[in-house]
Amino acid sequence: MNKISWSNSIWFFDIDDTLIDTVSTTIPASEEIRKVFLAKYTPEQAMQVKNNFNNIFHLMMAGYRVKNADEWQLVPGGKKAFDKILEDIENHQIRVKEKYGTIKKWSREVFVKLAADKANLSVTPEIVNKAADAYWLILTEQTVVYPHVLELMQIIKGYSRPIYLLTSSDGRLRMDEKGQFDYDPQYSEAFKKNRIELLREKGIIFNALSIGDPEDKPNLNFFQKGLKIAEQELGCPINTEHAIMIGDSFEGDLQVPKERMGFGLVVLFQKDKIKLKIIDDHQIITGNLMEVTRLLN
Ligand SMILES: [Mg+2]
């Protein structure tokens, strides 16, 4: 196993579902969507929108977790339902696709709009925006920092080593009167910055933050932007052999740093993993981020 020394180590972390339990907080946070709709619609309609929103989110999650064809049976509605929801999401982002060549699949604004469509409600841009804002705010306030994260960060701080956060865009889009969405990378990025700053109150420490607007994971440019921000903050070039990247998705967070950028160590965090697994000289899987400390000199 390749050992990195504490005195040279540079730490990079994904945020959602690596530092904090984002997925589990989405259901309590969706309650805020119901409350926003309650101001204008009946209790039944507001509840319907909330339930539809959660169904969309879980269909997306389930679809994205599929690695082999036989796993489609675990997805509600199967591949057909997943393809349909992706198509619906794309149909609301015609201009985004034209301008950026890709869409923001996880935009909660779009989920809210689709949830309202499904409940046969016509919605204004204001209510869609307000519902998404309330959702993200409560999600961040209620989110749980994973055990061992704060402990690990305190140890890193004890060695006076830097911590950088590399996180995806929240895809904060704005709806027009016709139900089409637009993407302004600066606007979207500013929202996510505010949300992540709130995590300092929960004890999360970081020197700088890089967000996937407009280019997102797993694009090489996303990681190069993060590295550049880190080098600027550090005031010198980074030798990636001393860099450690920690994330919950190999394809999303780790593959590019490991295979294309020469990171010394990548760590796949899997919530339920009991025993540390060494994949090769440069990669481990663990359910306890404190175990990473064992791999440093
Ligand atoms: Mg993540």
Side-chain angles (χ1 to χ4, degrees), residues 137-196:
L137 183 70
I138 294 299
L139 187 138
T140 308
E141 277 177 16
Q142 294 193 359
T143 197
V144 173
V145 179
Y146 278 123
H148 313 298
V149 162
L150 299 178
E151 214 181 327
L152 173 61
M153 286 187 155
Q154 283 301 328
I155 291 176
I156 298 170
K157 197 182 157 197
Y159 282 96
S160 304
R161 299 313 301 160
I163 295 173
Y164 302 107
L165 305 184
L166 307 183
T167 185
S168 287
S169 164
D170 280 347
R172 300 302 308 262
L173 306 182
R174 277 180 287 195
M175 194 180 96
D176 69 11
E177 297 293 337
K178 287 181 177 153
Q180 273 298 316
F181 286 81
D182 284 298
Y183 173 47
D184 171 357
Q186 275 99 34
Y187 169 89
S188 184
E189 188 172 37
F191 268 101
K192 181 123 192 190
K193 238 177 211 153
N194 286 339
R195 164 159 107 83
I196 300 309

Side-chain angles (χ1 to χ4, degrees), residues 14-18 217 247-249 253:
D14 164 51
I15 299 176
D16 293 305
D17 300 303
T18 296
K217 295 171 186 179
D248 67 303
S249 159
D253 302 315

Side-chain angles (χ1 to χ4, degrees), residues 197-237:
E197 283 298 329
L198 296 177
L199 294 177
R200 291 194 193 269
E201 288 164 26
K202 293 184 182 279
I204 288 183
I205 306 166
F206 57 97
N207 293 56
L209 164 71
S210 181
I211 299 168
D213 289 299
E215 259 149 350
D216 217 328
K217 295 171 186 179
N219 196 311
L220 178 63
N221 292 334
F222 166 88
F223 293 99
Q224 282 173 337
K225 173 182 165 184
L227 194 64
K228 212 168 131 193
I229 287 175
E231 287 177 334
Q232 266 162 8
E233 197 276 335
L234 207 58
C236 64

